C-alpha cells in the first residue's frame, strides 16, 4: 500500500488534478443520478386476473381456476402458485425461484392463458408483472359537477391522457373508474309474459343482427365473385324495432338504450371521479418528471376547466424530494458532528481538515461510481451513506493521528509521512476489507436482498473510496499543511495502562466476567419483543369496510357512502378517495377487490393524530354490523412488514378440511394477543338451487340450459355477446328489475318457454333447494386451502408465532391434514433466519481475511472476541431504549461485525509490529494500547456521533436505515470499544503466553 502513498507524494500536481477531476465528476454525477423513492426492482411474482361477470365463486373455481392451474403449473422455475376465487373474478399469484427471467416467464404465462378455452362471459386473463417502477409518480382525481358522460370520458382518453404521455420521462398515463359502453336491454317480465316472448328468444334475435357470413361463389362474365351476406346495425332504433313475433317488437317488451356501466365505484371528496395514474420510464428522475407533470396539469386545468376539476391525490416527486433531502441532511449532520469530535481530540484545525476531507471526497467518488453502476439516488443509497459517514473518516483518522504523532516525535519529513502511513496501512486495509465482507452478503438476504443492493453498493464504494483517500490524499495534505509541528514527547495514557495491566494480571477474571455478560445478554435477547419492520406514513390512512357475501349490495353501497360522509367531517383532512369494486383496467396492476368491499384513502395535513383517529374508526364498526371496519396507516411493507397472521389449512378431502380448520380456529380464539380471527370458509352465502326434473323438462321440449337462459336474465345481468352499432363495438347485456323476486315462490311462478307447449310456470318443471355456497375460495399449488387470518395485537410477534406453532404441532388433525403458518410471522422468521445465516458467513469471511492479512490464525482469533462484546452492547441498547428487535436491528448487528473488528485490528496490528521488533507479549500489548488508544476512541466516537441523526431523526418510510439499526450500532460500538481495549489484549496474551517472537529470540541466541 506504500506504493500509493509514495506515488501521491512524488506526483503531487497529478494528484491535485485527480482530486479536482473527481470533484467535478462527483458533482456532475450527483446532478445526473435519477432520484427515486425505491430502487427499480422486479418482484419474483406474476399476477394473473380473470373476470367472469355473473359467475359465482364455485363456478369460477370449476370452470376457470382449475383449468388455469393445470395449464400454469408447468411454467419454468415456478416455486409456489396461489389463487383467490371470488364471485366474478379470480386472481392467481405465481411466485418464482430467485434468478428467474420474469419477462420470459410472463410471456410463457400469456401463451398458456391464451390457449385456454374459457366459458362464455369470462374475459381473457390479464397477466401483470409487478415492480417498483409501477408505483405511479403522480395520481390525479378528476371530478365533474354533472358526472362523466361518454363524450367527456372519450375526451379524457383521447385528448388529455396523450398530453401526459408526451411529457418527457412519462411511460404511461391511464384512467381508472371509466364506464363501459353497453347495449342495455332492460326486460319487463310482465310484458314478456303477456307477449309470450322468452329472454332466450331475445338473446338469439340480438345475436343474429350483426352478420358477416361467407356464402359461396358466383361466376359472372367469366369472373368468380365471392358472395358474403352482411348485416349491420346503424343505430339503437334499429335494435328497438327488432320483430320478435308478429305481434311484438323488442321495444314493446324491453327498454333498449346505449348505457354507461361502472364496474367499480370511484369517488373523490364525495363526488363521482376518475383516477388517473401516471408512471415514469425506468431510470427517469422521479422529481424531474413529477415537476414536468405538474406544469402540464396547470395547462390542462386551464384548457378543461369547464369540463372537470383535476386534483392531485399523490405526487411521489414531493415525497422523494423530501425523503432524499431529509436523509442527505442526516448525512451532513453526521459529517459535521464527526468533524467536531476530531477537532476536540486533535486540537488542531489543520489535522482536522486533513481527516475530514475524506468525507466529501469519498461521497463524491461514491456518487460517480453509483452513476457508472446505474444505481439511482434513493432512500437506500442515501441510507448507506448515512450508515457509512462515520466510518468514512476512520481510516483518515488513524493515518493522520499516526503521522501527526510521528511528526511530534521525529519532525517533518517525507520519510516520516511515508513510514507513518505504512505503519497503519495494513490495519486500515484489513478493516476496510472486513467491513466490505460483512456488507456484501446482505445482497443475498431473502426478500430484501435486491432492495439492499443499493445500500450495500453505497457503503462498499464509500469505504473503498475512504481507504484510497487515506492512503493518498491524507499523506499529501499532511506534507502540505503540517509544518512547524512542535516536538512533543508521547505521554502514555496512565489510567488506561493501569487498567490494562490489572486486566492482564487478572485474565481469567476479565474473561469470566465477559462470558457472564455475553450469556446474560443472550438471555435478555430472548425476552425482547420481536416484530416486523414498520414503514408507515403518518399522513395517509387507509380504511377498509367489508360486508358479508350474502349482504345486499345496494345497501352495502349506501352504508359505505354513510361512512364516507362521516370521514369527510374529520379535522385536518386534505382529501378522501373512495373505491368499491374492481374494474378491468386495474387488473393490469394486480389489483382486484370484491364488489362488497369499500376502501377509503385519507390524506391528512401535518399534525393529525392518526393513532387516535384509527381507534375512533374501529369503534364505528358496531354501528354498521355485520360489516367490518379496519383502519391502518399507509404501510409501504417493502421488507415483510405488517402484523397480519395467516394459517393455511389443507386436507385430503373437503370434510376433513372443514373439520381441521374449525379445530384451528377454536384454538386461536382462545389465545391472548390475537384479534379478528376469521376464515374464508365462514364467508359463505345461501344458494337457491333450481333442481330441474329432467323427465318433465324433456316432455316439454326443454333442457336445463334453456331453462337457465329464460330465468337468469330476470335475476341478474347476463352478457349476451358483443354488437357493433355504427362504428362502435359494445357489450350487450340482458337484465330485469329483480326487486320483484323476494321469495322462492316468485321464481317458481316465472314462466319458461317451450316451442311445443308455450309458457310453462317453472314450478311445474323444477323445485328449489337451499344450500351453503362458498363465496371465497383459496388454493395453494392447485389444492383447496382454508385460510385463517387475524391480527397480532402486541409487539412481540415472535412470541405469538412460537405459541401458535406449539398449538398447531399438538393439534390432533385428521390423517393427511396440516396447518401451516404464513403471513407476517412467517415472513419475519424467514428474514431473521436468513440474517443469522449471513452473520455466521460474515464472521467466517472476516476471520479468513484477517488470517490472510496477519499471516497467522492466532492474532485474528483474539480479534474475534470483540464480537461477543458488540452483542452485549447492541442488546443493552435495545433494552434501554425499549426498541423491539426487527429486521433493521439485525442488519445493524450484521454491520457491527465489520465495524467493531476495525478497532481490534488497529490495536492488534500494532502489537504484531511491536513483537516483530522483539518486544515480549505484555510489553507489546501495553505499548500498542497506549499508542492506539486515541485513534480507537476517536474512530468509535465519530462513528457513534455520526449515527445520532438516525437515532433521533424520523426514518423515511420503506428504508432499511432506522432507529433500531442506529440503537444496535451505537450500543454495540460503545460497549465493544470500552471492553475491546481490555478483553482483546487479555485474550491475545492467553493465546500467545509471554513468548517473544521466535525470530528475535534466535537472533539473541546467535549474538550470545
Amino acid at each position: 500500500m506504500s506504493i500509493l502513498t509514495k506515488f501521491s507524494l512524488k506526483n503531487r500536481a497529478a494528484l491535485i488534478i485527480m482530486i479536482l477531476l473527481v470533484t467535478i465528476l462527483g458533482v456532475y454525477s450527483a446532478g445526473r443520478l435519477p432520484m427515486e423513492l425505491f430502487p427499480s426492482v422486479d418482484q419474483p411474482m406474476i399476477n394473473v386476473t380473470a373476470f367472469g361477470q355473473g359467475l359465482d365463486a364455485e363456478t369460477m373455481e370449476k370452470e376457470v381456476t382449475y383449468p388455469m392451474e393445470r395449464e400454469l403449473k408447468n411454467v419454468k422455475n415456478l416455486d409456489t402458485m396461489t389463487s383467490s376465487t371470488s364471485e366474478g373474478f379470480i386472481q392467481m399469484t405465481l411466485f418464482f425461484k430467485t434468478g428467474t427471467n420474469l419477462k420470459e416467464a410472463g410471456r410463457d404465462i400469456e401463451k398458456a392463458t391464451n390457449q385456454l378455452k374459457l366459458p362464455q362471459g369470462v374475459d381473457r386473463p390479464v397477466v401483470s408483472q409487478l415492480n417498483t417502477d409501477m408505483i405511479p409518480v403522480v395520481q390525479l382525481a378528476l371530478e365533474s359537477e354533472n358526472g362523466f358522460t361518454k363524450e367527456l370520458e372519450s375526451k379524457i382518453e383521447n385528448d388529455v391522457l396523450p398530453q401526459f404521455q408526451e411529457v418527457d420521462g412519462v411511460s404511461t398515463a391511464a384512467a381508472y373508474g371509466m364506464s363501459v359502453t353497453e347495449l342495455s336491454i332492460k326486460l319487463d317480465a310482465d310484458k314478456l309474459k303477456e307477449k309470450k316472448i322468452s329472454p332466450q328468444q331475445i338473446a338469439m334475435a340480438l345475436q343474429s343482427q350483426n352478420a358477416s357470413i361467407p356464402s359461396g361463389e358466383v361466376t359472372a362474365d367469366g369472373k368468380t365473385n365471392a358472395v358474403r351476406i352482411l348485416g349491420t346495425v346503424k343505430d339503437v332504433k334499429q335494435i328497438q324495432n327488432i320483430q320478435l313475433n308478429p305481434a311484438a317488437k323488442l321495444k314493446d317488451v324491453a327498454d333498449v338504450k346505449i348505457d354507461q356501466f361502472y364496474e367499480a365505484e370511484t369517488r373523490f371528496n364525495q363526488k363521482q371521479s376518475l383516477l388517473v395514474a401516471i408512471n415514469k420510464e425506468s431510470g427517469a428522475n422521479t422529481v424531474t418528471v413529477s415537476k414536468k407533470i405538474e406544469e402540464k396539469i396547470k395547462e390542462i386545468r386551464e384548457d378543461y376547466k369547464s369540463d372537470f376539476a383535476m386534483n392531485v391525490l399523490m405526487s411521489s416527486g414531493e415525497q422523494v424530494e423530501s425523503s432524499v433531502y431529509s436523509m442527505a441532511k442526516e448525512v451532513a449532520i453526521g459529517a459535521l458532528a464527526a468533524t467536531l469530535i476530531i477537532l476536540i481530540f486533535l486540537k488542531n484545525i489543520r489535522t482536522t481538515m486533513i481527516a475530514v476531507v475524506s468525507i466529501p471526497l469519498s461521497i463524491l467518488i461514491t456518487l460517480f461510481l453509483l452513476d457508472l453502476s446505474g444505481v439511482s439516488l434513493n432512500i437506500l443509497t442515501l441510507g448507506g451513506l448515512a450508515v457509512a459517514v462515520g466510518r468514512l473518516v476512520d481510516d483518515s483518522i488513524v493515518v493522520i493521528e499516526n503521522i501527526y504523532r510521528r511528526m511530534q516525535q521525529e519532525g517533518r519529513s517525507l520519510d516520516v509521512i511515508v513510514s507513518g502511513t505504512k505503519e497503519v496501512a495494513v490495519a486500515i486495509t484489513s478493516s476496510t476489507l472486513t467491513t466490505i465482507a460483512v456488507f456484501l452478503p446482505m445482497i443475498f438476504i431473502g426478500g430484501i436482498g435486491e432492495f439492499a443492493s443499493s445500500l450495500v453498493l453505497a457503503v462498499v464504494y464509500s469505504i473503498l473510496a475512504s481507504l484510497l483517500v487515506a492512503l493518498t490524499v491524507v499523506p499529501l495534505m499532511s506534507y502540505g499543511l503540517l509544518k512547524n509541528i512542535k516536538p512533543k514527547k508521547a505521554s502514555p495514557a496512565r489510567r488506561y495502562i493501569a487498567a490494562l495491566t490489572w486486566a492482564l494480571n487478572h485474565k481469567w477474571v476479565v474473561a469470566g466476567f465477559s462470558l457472564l455478560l455475553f450469556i446474560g445478554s443472550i438471555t435478555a435477547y430472548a425476552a425482547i419483543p420481536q416484530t416486523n419492520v414498520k414503514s408507515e406514513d403518518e399522513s395517509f390512512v387507509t380504511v377498509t369496510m367489508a360486508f358479508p357475501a350474502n349482504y345486499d349490495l345496494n345497501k352495502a353501497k349506501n352504508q359505505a357512502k354513510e361512512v364516507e360522509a362521516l370521514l369527510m367531517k374529520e379535522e385536518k383532512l386534505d382529501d378522501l378517495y373512495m373505491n368499491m369494486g374492481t374494474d378491468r383496467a386495474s387488473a393490469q396492476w394486480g389489483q382486484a377487490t370484491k364488489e362488497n368491499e369499500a376502501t377509503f384513502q385519507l390524506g391528512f395535513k401535518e399534525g393529525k393524530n392518526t393513532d387516535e383517529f384509527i381507534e375512533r374508526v374501529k369503534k364505528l364498526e358496531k354501528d354498521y354490523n355485520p360489516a367490518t371496519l379496519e383502519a391502518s396507516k399507509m404501510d409501504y411493507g417493502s421488507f415483510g412488514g405488517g402484523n397480519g397472521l395467516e394459517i393455511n389449512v389443507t386436507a385430503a378431502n373437503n370434510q376433513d378440511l372443514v373439520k381441521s380448520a374449525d379445530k384451528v380456529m377454536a384454538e386461536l380464539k382462545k389465545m391472548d394477543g390475537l384479534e379478528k380471527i376469521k376464515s374464508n370458509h365462514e364467508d359463505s352465502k345461501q344458494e337457491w338451487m333450481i333442481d330441474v326434473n329432467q323427465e318433465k323438462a324433456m316432455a316439454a321440449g326443454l333442457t336445463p340450459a334453456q331453462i337457465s337462459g329464460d330465468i337468469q336474465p330476470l335475476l341478474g345481468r347476463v352478457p349476451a355477446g358483443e354488437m357493433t352499432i355504427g362504428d362502435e363495438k359494445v357489450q350487450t347485456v340482458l337484465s330485469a328489475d329483480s326487486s320483484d323476486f323476494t321469495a322462492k315462490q316468485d321464481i317458481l311462478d316465472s314462466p319458461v318457454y317451450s316451442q311445443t307447449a308455450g309458457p310453462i310456470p317453472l314450478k311445474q318443471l323444477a323445485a328449489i333447494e337451499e344450500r351453503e355456497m362458498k363465496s371465497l375460495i383459496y388454493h395453494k399449488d392447485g389444492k383447496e386451502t382454508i385460510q385463517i387470518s387475524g391480527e397480532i395485537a402486541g409487539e412481540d410477534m415472535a412470541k405469538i408465532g412460537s405459541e401458535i406453532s406449539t398449538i398447531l404441532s399438538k393439534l390432533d388433525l385428521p390423517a393427511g391434514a396440516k396447518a401451516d403458518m404464513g403471513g407476517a410471522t412467517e415472513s419475519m422468521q424467514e428474514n431473521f433466519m436468513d440474517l443469522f445465516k449471513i452473520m455466521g458467513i460474515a464472521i467466517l469471511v472476516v476471520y479468513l481475511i484477517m488470517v490472510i492479512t496477519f499471516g497467522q490464525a492466532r492474532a485474528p482469533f483474539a480479534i474475534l472476541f470483540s464480537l461477543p462484546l458488540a452483542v452485549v452492547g447492541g442488546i443493552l441498547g435495545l433494552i434501554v431504549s425499549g426498541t423491539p428487535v426487527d429486521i433493521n436491528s439485525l442488519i445493524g448487528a450484521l454491520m457491527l461485525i465489520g465495524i467493531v473488528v476495525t478497532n481490534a485490528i488497529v490495536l492488534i496490528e500494532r502489537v504484531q509490529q511491536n513483537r516483530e521488533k522483539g518486544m515480549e507479549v505484555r510489553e507489546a500489548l501495553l505499548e500498542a494500547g497506549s499508542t492506539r488508544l486515541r485513534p480507537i476512541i476517536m474512530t468509535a466516537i465519530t462513528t457513534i456521533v455520526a449515527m445520532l441523526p438516525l437515532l433521533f431523526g424520523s426514518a423515511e418510510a420503506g428504508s432499511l436505515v432506522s432507529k433500531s439499526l442506529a440503537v444496535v450500532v451505537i450500543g454495540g460500538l460503545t460497549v465493544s470499544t470500552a471492553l475491546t481495549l481490555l478483553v482483546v489484549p487479555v485474550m491475545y496474551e492467553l493465546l500467545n503466553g509471554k513468548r517473544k517472537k521466535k525470530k528475535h529470540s534466535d537472533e539473541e541466541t546467535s549474538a550470545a
Side-chain angles (χ1 to χ4, degrees):
M1 290 296 171
S2 60
I3 296 171
L4 290 173
T5 306
K6 289 176 181 177
F7 172 84
S8 66
L9 292 170
K10 188 177 179 180
N11 301 275
R12 293 189 286 274
L15 190 64
I16 291 169
I17 292 170
M18 287 181 192
I19 293 169
L20 289 172
L21 186 61
V22 164
T23 303
I24 293 167
L25 288 173
V27 172
Y28 173 70
S29 297
R32 263 174 47 88
L33 280 169
M35 291 172 69
E36 299 178 316
L37 189 61
F38 300 114
S40 180
V41 174
D42 286 332
Q43 296 184 41
M45 54 186 272
I46 293 176
N47 281 346
V48 183
T49 309
F51 291 89
Q53 189 174 321
L55 297 181
D56 61 72
E58 292 186 2
T59 304
M60 285 289 289
E61 179 193 37
K62 181 181 177 182
E63 300 189 13
V64 183
T65 306
Y66 280 124
M68 281 175 64
E69 288 175 338
R70 284 194 293 269
E71 200 68 37
L72 297 176
K73 69 180 180 181
N74 296 320
V75 174
K76 288 181 185 176
N77 296 317
L78 180 65
D79 187 18
T80 305
M81 176 171 59
T82 63
S83 68
S84 170
T85 308
S86 301
E87 294 182 55
F89 75 88
I90 166 190
Q91 186 169 57
M92 297 182 67
T93 304
L94 291 85
F95 298 90
F96 290 88
K97 295 172 184 172
T98 305
T100 302
N101 185 329
L102 292 174
K103 289 183 180 176
E104 186 179 320
R107 287 193 292 269
D108 291 344
I109 292 170
E110 283 184 348
K111 184 179 177 182
T113 54
N114 287 337
Q115 292 172 351
L116 283 171
K117 291 183 179 178
L118 298 172
Q120 185 180 354
V122 177
D123 296 341
R124 185 59 50 196
V126 177
V127 179
S128 56
Q129 178 193 331
L130 307 180
N131 59 42
T132 51
D133 283 334
M134 294 176 72
I135 300 172
V137 288
V138 175
Q139 283 185 326
L140 306 171
L142 311 185
E143 54 177 309
S144 175
E145 289 293 333
N146 302 315
F148 290 91
T149 62
K150 199 63 200 174
E151 291 74 20
L152 183 52
E153 287 186 351
S154 178
K155 189 185 287 187
I156 291 167
E157 193 166 15
N158 299 320
D159 298 339
V160 176
L161 295 184
Q163 290 188 53
F164 285 122
Q165 288 169 341
E166 289 168 5
V167 173
D168 187 31
V170 169
S171 62
T172 59
Y176 304 101
M178 296 181 81
S179 64
V180 177
T181 304
E182 64 179 26
L183 177 63
S184 171
I185 314 291
K186 191 74 174 284
L187 305 175
D188 186 318
D190 293 332
K191 290 181 179 178
L192 287 174
K193 192 183 293 186
E194 179 189 330
K195 302 289 184 181
K196 297 183 180 179
I197 295 170
S198 71
Q200 201 164 201
Q201 184 181 344
I202 293 172
M204 292 176 65
L206 290 167
Q207 290 166 6
S208 65
Q209 291 303 299
N210 276 135
S212 179
I213 307 167
S215 303
E217 295 179 343
V218 172
T219 301
D221 300 326
K223 294 181 180 179
T224 302
N225 300 281
V227 177
R228 179 178 293 274
I229 296 175
L230 189 66
T232 59
V233 178
K234 295 178 181 177
D235 53 32
V236 178
K237 193 174 181 181
Q238 188 175 332
I239 300 294
Q240 291 172 334
N241 289 318
I242 292 174
Q243 199 74 41
L244 299 173
N245 65 24
K249 295 180 178 179
L250 181 56
K251 64 182 180 182
D252 297 329
V253 293
D255 180 21
V256 182
K257 62 180 179 180
I258 298 290
D259 203 3
Q260 287 177 263
F261 174 69
Y262 291 93
E263 296 173 310
E265 182 117 22
T266 56
R267 292 160 63 83
F268 179 76
N269 292 341
Q270 289 188 285
K271 295 179 183 176
Q272 183 196 354
S273 68
L274 300 180
L275 178 69
V276 174
I278 305 170
N279 292 75
K280 70 177 184 66
E281 294 172 347
S282 182
N285 191 313
T286 301
V287 175
T288 304
V289 174
S290 294
K291 287 180 178 176
K292 289 178 180 177
I293 292 170
E294 285 167 14
E295 290 300 316
K296 181 58 69 175
I297 289 171
K298 291 176 184 175
E299 293 178 22
I300 294 173
R301 275 176 176 159
E302 185 61 32
D303 294 341
Y304 295 90
K305 59 186 177 184
S306 60
D307 294 319
F308 54 78
M310 183 176 282
N311 304 282
V312 178
L313 271 180
M314 182 277 294
S315 176
S316 60
E318 295 173 5
Q319 188 180 7
V320 169
E321 202 166 28
S322 170
S323 299
V324 168
Y325 288 144
S326 173
M327 195 64 81
K329 183 180 74 175
E330 292 184 359
V331 172
I333 293 170
L336 182 62
T339 304
L340 291 172
I341 294 299
I342 296 166
L343 183 60
I344 290 168
F345 272 89
L346 295 181
K347 299 181 178 67
N348 186 301
I349 293 176
R350 290 183 179 183
T351 52
T352 302
M353 286 172 58
I354 294 168
V356 170
V357 76
S358 63
I359 295 178
L361 268 181
S362 300
I363 289 175
L364 288 170
I365 293 170
T366 301
L367 293 174
F368 173 62
L369 293 174
L370 289 173
D371 190 19
L372 286 181
S373 305
V375 177
S376 64
L377 198 63
N378 53 66
I379 59 173
L380 293 177
T381 48
L382 283 165
L385 290 175
V387 167
V389 69
R391 177 67 181 78
L392 296 185
V393 80
D394 284 3
D395 293 346
S396 295
I397 286 175
V398 173
V399 171
I400 189 60
E401 193 278 337
N402 204 49
I403 291 174
Y404 188 62
R405 183 180 54 79
R406 289 280 299 271
M407 279 185 174
Q408 285 180 321
Q409 294 171 9
E410 302 172 35
R412 176 180 175 273
S413 70
L414 281 175
D415 287 341
V416 168
I417 292 172
V418 171
S419 62
T421 305
K422 184 180 179 181
E423 207 171 59
V424 294
V426 172
I428 63 174
T429 302
S430 178
S431 62
T432 297
L433 291 177
T434 55
T435 306
I436 290 171
V438 167
F439 275 93
L440 280 178
M442 281 179 61
I443 295 173
F444 306 106
I445 297 172
I448 63 173
E450 281 192 86
F451 277 95
S453 61
S454 293
L455 181 145
V456 170
L457 285 177
V459 172
V460 170
Y461 288 158
S462 61
I463 62 174
L464 278 175
S466 72
L467 175 64
L468 183 64
V469 171
L471 294 172
T472 57
V473 178
V474 169
L476 175 64
M477 291 184 70
S478 299
Y479 182 77
L481 294 177
L482 298 183
K483 298 174 182 178
N484 304 319
I485 302 296
K486 292 178 182 179
K488 185 182 178 183
K489 259 191 172 184
S491 55
R494 291 187 180 87
R495 291 181 183 175
Y496 167 61
I497 294 300
L500 179 56
T501 302
W502 185 91
L504 292 171
N505 289 331
H506 302 82
K507 289 188 281 289
W508 292 109
V509 173
V510 173
F513 178 70
S514 300
L515 181 62
L516 286 174
L517 277 179
F518 179 68
I519 293 171
S521 63
I522 294 299
T523 306
Y525 172 80
I528 301 174
Q530 296 177 20
T531 187
N532 252 322
V533 180
K534 289 186 179 179
S535 50
E536 299 170 333
D537 191 325
E538 293 284 344
S539 58
F540 289 95
V541 174
T542 300
V543 177
T544 304
M545 187 178 191
F547 294 88
N550 59 356
Y551 202 73
D552 180 76
L553 186 58
N554 289 325
K555 190 176 178 181
K557 287 181 177 180
N558 290 333
Q559 290 190 340
K561 287 176 183 177
E562 285 180 25
V563 172
E564 179 190 34
L566 287 173
L567 295 177
M568 275 298 294
K569 296 175 183 177
E570 277 298 315
E571 292 180 4
K572 295 187 177 180
L573 179 69
D574 262 338
D575 296 307
L576 170 61
Y577 176 75
M578 171 190 164
N579 181 78
M580 193 166 185
T582 302
D583 62 0
R584 283 157 177 76
S586 301
Q588 63 181 301
W589 308 104
Q591 297 173 355
T593 55
K594 294 181 285 186
E595 62 180 358
N596 62 346
E597 188 172 292
T599 303
F600 308 90
Q601 293 179 6
L602 299 91
F604 290 105
K605 295 181 175 71
E606 194 174 340
K608 177 70 174 180
N609 186 339
T610 48
D611 291 320
E612 185 266 338
F613 166 71
I614 287 170
E615 288 306 312
R616 280 194 288 109
V617 168
K618 289 178 179 178
K619 289 176 182 176
L620 275 177
E621 187 173 270
K622 65 180 185 298
D623 298 331
Y624 293 94
N625 191 50
T628 59
L629 270 169
E630 295 179 6
S632 61
K633 298 172 195 175
M634 187 176 285
D635 194 337
Y636 291 85
S638 309
F639 315 112
N643 64 341
L645 168 72
E646 202 175 276
I647 294 175
N648 295 306
V649 182
T650 54
N653 55 64
N654 192 63
Q655 186 178 351
D656 286 349
L657 180 64
V658 174
K659 184 179 177 182
S660 301
D662 288 344
K663 279 190 173 184
V664 174
M665 285 274 289
E667 290 299 321
L668 292 180
K669 286 180 177 179
K670 296 175 187 175
M671 282 185 63
D672 293 328
L674 289 180
E675 297 177 345
K676 298 188 175 179
I677 304 296
K678 59 184 179 181
S679 82
N680 62 295
H681 178 65
E682 293 177 324
D683 198 12
S684 61
K685 66 189 296 184
Q686 204 75 7
E687 182 182 43
W688 291 355
M689 287 195 308
I690 300 175
D691 187 11
V692 176
N693 185 313
Q694 295 276 31
E695 291 181 2
K696 291 181 179 179
M698 287 175 65
L702 291 170
T703 65
Q706 288 172 316
I707 292 171
S708 172
D710 282 345
I711 297 298
Q712 197 177 359
L714 303 178
L715 304 176
R717 292 167 48 83
V718 179
E722 289 184 331
M723 180 176 290
T724 302
I725 300 177
D727 296 326
E728 187 177 13
K729 186 176 282 188
V730 297
Q731 176 76 35
T732 305
V733 178
L734 298 180
S735 64
D737 184 1
S738 58
S739 61
D740 292 336
F741 296 89
T742 57
K744 295 176 188 176
Q745 196 59 43
D746 296 328
I747 298 173
L748 292 171
D749 288 341
S750 299
V752 292
Y753 296 85
S754 164
Q755 289 185 347
T756 57
I760 304 172
L762 178 61
K763 61 188 174 186
Q764 294 184 13
L765 306 176
I768 293 180
E769 296 178 1
E770 285 189 34
R771 75 175 184 100
E772 287 286 323
M773 182 182 67
K774 302 170 189 174
S775 66
L776 180 59
I777 305 168
Y778 289 115
H779 284 193
K780 185 173 183 180
D781 294 326
K783 196 171 183 180
E784 185 176 349
T785 302
I786 289 181
Q787 192 175 94
I788 299 169
S789 61
E791 290 181 8
I792 297 173
E795 273 197 327
D796 198 347
M797 293 179 64
K799 183 183 176 185
I800 298 291
S802 176
E803 289 177 8
I804 294 170
S805 296
T806 303
I807 288 170
L808 295 181
S809 65
K810 292 180 179 178
L811 272 180
D812 182 22
L813 299 178
K818 64 176 183 176
D820 297 319
M821 189 159 56
T825 46
E826 183 188 39
S827 168
M828 184 190 71
Q829 288 169 2
E830 286 177 358
N831 285 327
F832 277 24
M833 284 307 299
D834 284 341
L835 279 162
F836 286 129
K837 289 174 187 175
I838 294 293
M839 285 181 198
I841 294 168
I843 291 169
L844 289 175
V845 173
V846 165
Y847 184 57
L848 175 63
I849 290 171
M850 290 192 296
V851 168
I852 294 169
T853 304
F854 283 92
Q856 59 161 284
R858 196 178 282 124
F861 190 67
I863 291 171
L864 286 183
F865 282 92
S866 62
L867 296 179
L869 308 178
V871 171
V872 173
I875 293 172
L876 184 63
L878 292 172
I879 293 170
V880 170
S881 64
T883 306
V885 178
D886 60 13
I887 298 170
N888 287 350
S889 58
L890 291 185
I891 290 174
L894 183 61
M895 292 175 179
L896 268 179
I897 295 171
I899 294 171
V900 299
V901 296
T902 300
N903 292 335
I905 288 172
V906 169
L907 176 65
I908 297 302
E909 199 270 339
R910 177 72 179 186
V911 174
Q912 293 295 99
Q913 288 177 6
N914 289 341
R915 293 191 65 202
E916 289 288 343
K917 294 174 184 176
M919 292 184 186
E920 291 184 354
V921 172
R922 175 69 62 91
E923 184 185 0
L925 285 167
L926 292 172
E927 193 283 335
S930 177
T931 304
R932 292 287 187 245
L933 177 64
R934 186 166 67 168
I936 287 173
I937 296 295
M938 285 174 65
T939 55
I941 292 179
T942 50
T943 303
I944 290 167
V945 170
M947 293 286 280
L948 290 178
L950 296 178
L951 182 64
F952 296 110
S954 57
E956 296 302 323
S959 177
L960 283 175
V961 181
S962 69
K963 177 186 173 182
S964 59
L965 181 147
V967 164
V968 170
V969 172
I970 291 171
L973 191 52
T974 302
V975 173
S976 72
T977 301
L979 295 179
T980 291
L981 291 166
L982 298 174
V983 177
V984 171
V986 164
M987 298 311 301
Y988 184 90
E989 188 168 277
L990 279 172
L991 291 168
N992 289 275
K994 296 185 179 182
R995 295 173 299 132
K996 295 181 181 181
K997 273 283 187 179
K998 188 178 179 183
K999 177 182 175 185
H1000 182 74
S1001 299
D1002 290 345
E1003 287 174 359
E1004 281 188 334
T1005 304
S1006 300

